[in-house]
Amino acid sequence: MHLQFHQVRYFLALARTLNFTQAAKQCNVTQPALTKAIHKLEEELGGALIHRERRFTQLTELGKMILPTLEQVFAAAEAVRLQARSYQKKTIARLKIGLSPSISAALITELLRELTTTIPDLRFDLREADANGLVTMLLDGEINAALVGDAVELPERIDRWPLFEERYMLVLPREHVMARKSVIPLHDLHGLIFLERVGCDVASRFVQGPKIVHSSDQEKHLQQMASAGFGAILAPEHAPRLPSLAAIPIEGDPVRCEVQLLAVAGRRYSPALDAFIKIARARDWTGVLDTIRNASAPASNNDNIRKPDAQAASSLFESRLRADRSRDPRIIGSEDREARKVPQPHSVERR
């Protein structure tokens, strides 16, 4: 059976009007053309759909039976046609972007906002995975583009465009004594406990045998643990952070990462993806990074510290320190904090 779209449209018009002349006018065709199309449709379906008796026209039982189904078919086909037309006009699209754990969505929010001014119905779908996982998702068509900050060997089918380079910072509670330093000497890192971002072992690049106790694949969880004093984080400079945390440069910037934009080579770009890649490559990333840093940095170490976080951390650490201080002299106790006049009890283990 080969139903033609125009045959269905003509039949529905005739079912509404029960008049060949009016139906032909609605469909903007001649009456003979409409009649011929109805006859062909009847041949395909194997029975009469219209019963004509002098000036009266009505649907046959077969016509009445198939009418609801043909209405659904026509509505679905019309929806597909309108979606295709909207896509060609760049008025609707879905852009799926992958981000590695070290890349914050804050990097691309303004870029996406700019895209929505030219593609009003653009829809975003952000995914997170490590660099290798993102490459697999690209090749499988699960995402359209990816931003990675970790070194990874890419297959030939992947195009890459370097966007910018940035350094890693030491992130720890603002109440910690090391947070008052302008630069952290390398030798001071060896006494710290680090919080590990799953899939990103950056600490091992410049700290021999780093002590890693806790880990998470979610940046927000790592920051909450760091704020509570469970350890320090190594994070890209652009990464937004809680107000209770400080980001301090490390002496000599021992680790820098190059953020790259990835897409599948040779694959036809949608209008949204094409615009995303062009805007990303032409963007002033230095200005973007400056804006993010300014937004993340309070005026002083005492500003914007969230009291509920501090109180919760205080209760947790007073009990933990009483139990552990005798076994690990690196942990700062309450007497040490009082002597140093540190207002809050957050701490990161150190020598």
Side-chain angles (χ1 to χ4, degrees):
M1 183 182 298
H2 301 284
L3 298 183
Q4 299 295 320
F5 185 75
H6 72 280
Q7 294 173 347
V8 176
R9 182 164 64 93
Y10 294 171
F11 171 72
L12 294 179
L14 186 56
R16 289 192 302 268
T17 62
L18 294 178
N19 185 289
F20 278 82
T21 302
Q22 293 181 19
K25 186 176 181 179
Q26 286 187 7
C27 296
N28 196 30
V29 296
T30 64
Q31 183 174 330
L34 182 136
T35 302
K36 183 178 179 180
I38 295 297
H39 286 164
K40 287 186 176 181
L41 181 60
E42 290 175 330
E43 291 176 1
E44 288 287 345
L45 297 176
L49 303 176
I50 303 294
H51 178 67
R52 301 182 68 176
E53 185 176 349
R54 295 184 181 180
R55 290 181 298 175
F56 296 100
T57 302
Q58 58 184 345
L59 297 179
T60 65
E61 289 302 317
L62 177 60
K64 293 177 182 178
M65 183 182 70
I66 68 169
L67 177 61
T69 301
L70 290 183
E71 287 176 334
Q72 294 176 3
V73 169
F74 182 81
E78 187 69 6
V80 170
R81 185 178 64 84
L82 292 176
Q83 285 181 342
R85 180 182 297 177
S86 298
Y87 177 82
Q88 295 300 329
K89 292 182 177 180
K90 301 183 182 182
T91 59
I92 185 170
R94 179 173 292 278
L95 186 61
K96 295 173 287 186
I97 303 171
L99 303 174
S100 65
S102 62
I103 304 295
S104 168
L107 274 176
I108 60 173
T109 52
E110 287 304 315
L111 189 157
L112 297 180
R113 192 190 308 275
E114 184 176 339
L115 277 178
T116 58
T117 62
T118 57
I119 310 177
D121 292 330
L122 181 61
R123 301 171 187 176
F124 308 120
D125 186 358
L126 301 184
R127 309 282 185 87
E128 182 175 307
D130 61 23
N132 289 317
L134 291 176
V135 169
T136 300
M137 293 168 71
L138 280 169
L139 295 175
D140 291 344
E142 296 181 30
I143 56 176
N144 308 120
L147 272 73
V148 300
D150 303 321
V152 62
E153 186 174 349
L154 297 176
E156 293 183 1
R157 291 182 58 196
I158 297 295
D159 280 334
R160 72 168 80 193
W161 298 277
L163 299 181
F164 62 89
E165 188 180 80
E166 65 174 341
R167 58 185 175 177
Y168 271 79
M169 311 276 279
L170 183 70
V171 178
L172 67 174
R174 291 184 173 276
E175 295 82 8
H176 191 270
V177 62
M178 293 175 68
R180 294 193 288 269
K181 296 184 177 182
S182 58
V183 177
I184 304 295
L186 278 174
H187 59 77
D188 284 358
L189 300 177
H190 297 284
L192 291 176
I193 287 180
F194 289 95
L195 301 176
E196 182 183 43
R197 186 183 295 101
V198 175
C200 181
D201 58 347
V202 66
S204 62
R205 300 183 195 178
F206 57 94
V207 179
Q208 187 173 5
K211 186 175 182 181
I212 299 173
V213 179
H214 310 291
S215 64
S216 175
D217 60 354
Q218 296 290 321
E219 179 68 24
K220 61 182 178 181
H221 299 332
L222 290 174
Q223 291 201 22
Q224 290 290 349
M225 287 193 289
S227 181
F230 282 103
I233 305 172
L234 290 166
E237 189 172 10
H238 83 269
R241 59 187 182 276
L242 294 175
S244 54
L245 296 174
I248 315 299
I250 302 171
E251 182 182 30
D253 294 334
V255 174
R256 301 183 68 87
C257 67
E258 183 180 57
V259 175
Q260 302 178 71
L261 173 62
L262 308 182
V264 179
R267 187 171 292 176
R268 184 176 180 181
Y269 295 163
S270 68
L273 177 58
D274 183 63
F276 177 79
I277 292 176
K278 288 179 179 177
I279 294 176
R281 295 182 64 189
R283 201 159 194 79
D284 175 17
W285 288 103
T286 300
V288 173
L289 294 174
D290 288 341
T291 299
I292 295 175
R293 294 186 195 109
N294 293 336
S296 299
S300 72
N301 283 356
N302 295 323
D303 291 341
N304 299 326
I305 297 175
R306 300 188 302 179
K307 293 182 179 180
D309 286 349
Q311 293 170 355
S314 177
S315 300
L316 171 67
F317 269 87
E318 286 302 327
S319 59
R320 188 168 72 111
L321 290 170
R322 282 195 296 269
D324 294 346
R325 189 181 178 216
S326 61
R327 288 176 295 177
D328 192 342
R330 294 178 300 169
I331 299 178
I332 301 175
S334 57
E335 297 86 358
D336 299 315
R337 286 193 298 274
E338 179 64 27
R340 297 176 187 177
K341 303 299 181 182
V342 180
Q344 299 294 340
H346 303 299
S347 68
V348 176
E349 295 191 5
R350 65 181 185 85
R351 283 179 181 171

